[in-house]
Amino acid sequence: SSGINAEYGVVPSCYYDRILLFCGGMGLTLGLILLNKGLAMEKSGPGVLMRNFDIVTAYLIQILIFNNTPSVLSIVGSVLILSSIMIVTVKKLFFEHCKVWEF
C-alpha cells in the first residue's frame, strides 16, 4: 500500500515522502510570497510574463521526466495564452519605450 486513503487523495505512509511533500508546499508558498512582494515593488508586466513561463516548464517536465505527451488541444491552448500575454507585454514595453523618447 502506498499510503492511507483520504477523501481527496492519499497521505504518504513513508516519512521521507511526507517531508518532501511538506518542503514542496513550503517552497511554493515562499515563491508566491516573493512573487507578491516583487510585483508590489516593480512593474507587473515582466513579472507576470516570467510567472507564466511556468506553463512551459510544466510541459517540459511532463514530456522529459514523466514521458507523457500533452494533447494537441492542450498545447494549442497554452500557445494561445502565452502568445497573448507576450503580445500585451511587448506592446506595453514598446509604448513605454516610445514615451521616453518623446519631447
Side-chain angles (χ1 to χ4, degrees):
S1 158
S2 62
I4 302 167
N5 287 329
E7 186 176 345
Y8 295 107
V10 175
V11 178
S13 60
C14 176
Y15 285 109
Y16 179 72
D17 291 341
R18 289 181 187 184
I19 291 171
L20 285 179
L21 188 63
F22 177 76
C23 289
M26 292 303 293
L28 289 172
T29 302
L30 180 64
L32 287 174
I33 290 170
L34 292 175
L35 175 69
N36 192 13
K37 286 291 198 185
L39 289 175
M41 295 181 346
E42 187 61 40
K43 296 177 185 173
S44 63
V48 171
L49 181 63
M50 292 305 295
R51 181 71 178 153
N52 285 311
F53 277 109
D54 288 351
I55 298 171
V56 176
T57 306
Y59 278 120
L60 289 175
I61 290 172
Q62 181 179 354
I63 293 169
L64 297 176
I65 295 177
F66 296 118
N67 293 326
N68 185 1
T69 56
S71 67
V72 174
L73 189 60
S74 177
I75 292 174
V76 169
S78 64
V79 166
L80 283 173
I81 291 170
L82 287 175
S83 61
S84 64
I85 291 168
M86 288 174 59
I87 288 170
V88 168
T89 304
V90 168
K91 182 179 173 184
K92 183 177 179 180
L93 291 174
F94 177 73
F95 283 120
E96 285 179 4
H97 180 70
C98 288
K99 287 180 184 179
V100 170
W101 293 102
E102 290 179 0
F103 293 106

